[in-house]
Amino acid sequence: MSTETPPKEFERAPNHFTDRVGSPDWPLEAGRYRLVVSRACPWASRAVIVRRLLGLESALSMAVADPIQDERSWRFTLDPDGRDPVLGIRYLGEAYYAREPEYDGGISVPAIVDVPSGKLVSNDYPEITLNLEIDWAPLHRDGAPDLYPEPLRDEIDEVNDAVFREVNNGVYMAGFATRQRSYERVAHRLFERLDALEERLTDGRYLVGDTITEADIRLWVTLVRFDAVYHGHFKCNRRKLAEYPALWAYARDLFQTPGFGDTVNFDHITRHYYQVHRNINPTGIVPIGPDLRLWLTPHGREDLGGRPFGDGTPPGPVPPGETVPPIG
């Protein structure tokens, strides 16, 4: 038996609060809950995109945290007086402790908070989007797309499982690896999966079926951050996203689709990763690239057919107060 110490790998902590809106304890009511996000966070970005595509803006208000955390984690310093105007709190952690005063775990986004009580309902990011898609259906806009169609759920779940292990979480496992062997193992798995996705998307416009689904949203939130932060900051540098013809065109296609690019704040993304992760980037210097204007270049994916919103329609304009800085 080898006595060599096994290589360490990054482990993501399980989510502690897993309740669903629409359950007896948390009935579905328009205006009762608040979605707390950071535009820097890919896990939170999933919920932002789904909320927008389904037209839940008027039913589920949204708070955007500062991309730069302090020792108490996510804070509302983007709001007047550093306090969320709806929840009346300075830190997201206050909603966690209102729910469980002795809680001593991490404070993460996305989070759904019950406005009347100020208590956290859920920080279960894989389930929050499914909750919005299924349990919140009575409050969806007219023409909302079906992002989790029942006949395709098994295939969507299978794709999501592989994408989570090797892409969504894989970039973090590479970035936070502290040993060479561990880093190389997860980095190789990441690019093997990206190679497989490149092949899958060469002849198909979307990952599952001919419309946008939950699977596309989960992959895309990592792709949109790839060249800006994961390639350099997390050492995922065997290839840039822009060096994958199909994946890069696929990512641009979705970026230019209402509900995707209009939710992205690259300034929040780059400042968060490069300034918060001082163990990886001690100087806190934020790089000037890549050229974001490339996201607006033609992608040619229309030639593959597909119906982005299926039998539904695109979402309407971004609500006032939720716009992001334009590229260009």
Side-chain angles (χ1 to χ4, degrees):
M1 179 183 295
S2 172
T3 59
E4 181 181 1
T5 303
K8 293 182 178 180
E9 293 192 1
F10 169 77
E11 293 185 7
R12 186 167 297 280
N15 297 304
H16 185 73
F17 301 95
T18 59
D19 290 356
R20 292 176 77 95
V21 173
S23 66
D25 289 338
W26 307 107
L28 179 66
E29 297 176 16
R32 174 168 173 172
Y33 303 97
R34 190 153 172 84
L35 175 66
V36 180
V37 303
S38 163
R39 292 195 186 273
C41 172
W43 319 103
S45 290
R46 298 175 175 185
V48 177
I49 293 167
V50 168
R51 170 180 174 268
R52 173 139 165 69
L53 292 177
L54 299 179
L56 288 170
E57 294 99 326
S58 62
L60 176 64
S61 65
M62 185 171 73
V64 179
D66 193 310
I68 308 301
Q69 302 146 287
D70 66 14
E71 68 279 358
R72 294 181 61 182
S73 195
W74 300 107
R75 52 189 184 159
F76 297 107
T77 47
L78 301 180
D79 295 300
D81 300 322
R83 192 180 295 275
D84 179 74
V86 174
L87 298 173
I89 58 178
R90 295 186 181 277
Y91 289 87
L92 175 58
E94 295 175 54
Y96 278 66
Y97 305 133
R99 170 74 183 274
E100 190 174 305
E102 303 304 317
Y103 178 70
D104 62 356
I107 309 297
S108 63
V109 289
I112 292 182
V113 179
D114 178 52
V115 175
S117 67
K119 294 180 180 180
L120 181 75
V121 176
S122 176
N123 71 340
D124 192 6
Y125 65 88
E127 290 298 321
I128 283 176
T129 51
L130 299 181
N131 184 211
L132 296 178
E133 290 158 3
I134 298 170
D135 303 279
W136 287 70
L139 300 179
H140 290 179
R141 66 178 173 88
D142 292 338
D146 187 353
L147 301 174
Y148 195 48
E150 197 160 355
L152 300 178
R153 287 181 184 177
D154 287 345
E155 185 177 0
I156 291 171
D157 292 346
E158 181 181 1
V159 170
N160 286 345
D161 182 60
V163 166
F164 170 77
R165 288 195 321 268
E166 295 160 4
V167 181
N168 299 146
N169 203 44
V171 294
Y172 284 86
M173 293 175 71
F176 289 113
T178 58
R179 297 186 179 179
Q180 186 69 32
R181 284 181 56 217
S182 175
Y183 158 73
E184 290 182 5
R185 178 183 297 111
V186 297
H188 283 308
R189 287 204 301 257
L190 164 66
F191 282 97
E192 287 167 4
R193 179 57 56 185
L194 290 177
D195 290 345
L197 291 166
E198 170 75 8
E199 183 175 352
R200 183 183 185 113
L201 288 164
T202 295
D203 297 319
R205 189 170 180 185
Y206 304 111
L207 281 172
V208 181
D210 66 348
T211 66
I212 293 168
T213 68
E214 174 81 8
D216 298 295
I217 294 166
R218 294 194 182 197
L219 173 61
W220 187 81
V221 295
T222 297
L223 297 184
V224 77
R225 290 162 172 78
F226 199 89
D227 287 0
V229 291
Y230 302 142
H231 179 268
H233 184 58
F234 277 176
K235 305 179 186 69
C236 300
N237 63 352
R238 194 178 82 180
R239 287 187 188 176
K240 295 179 180 178
L241 175 65
E243 294 170 352
Y244 281 99
L247 275 171
W248 174 224
Y250 165 82
R252 299 200 317 280
D253 183 6
L254 289 176
F255 186 90
Q256 295 169 34
T257 298
F260 286 82
D262 55 23
T263 69
V264 175
N265 188 319
F266 279 109
D267 173 67
H268 282 205
I269 290 169
T270 54
R271 286 197 294 117
H272 170 76
Y273 281 91
Y274 283 101
Q275 293 184 340
V276 170
H277 301 153
R278 291 302 179 100
N279 57 327
I280 299 176
N281 185 38
T283 64
I285 292 174
V286 179
I288 62 171
D291 185 352
L292 300 179
R293 293 172 297 180
L294 297 176
W295 283 98
L296 303 179
T297 58
H299 52 76
R301 299 282 291 180
E302 304 94 336
D303 295 343
L304 295 174
R307 302 174 300 142
F309 302 102
D311 295 328
T313 59
V318 178
E322 294 188 9
T323 57
V324 296
I327 289 176

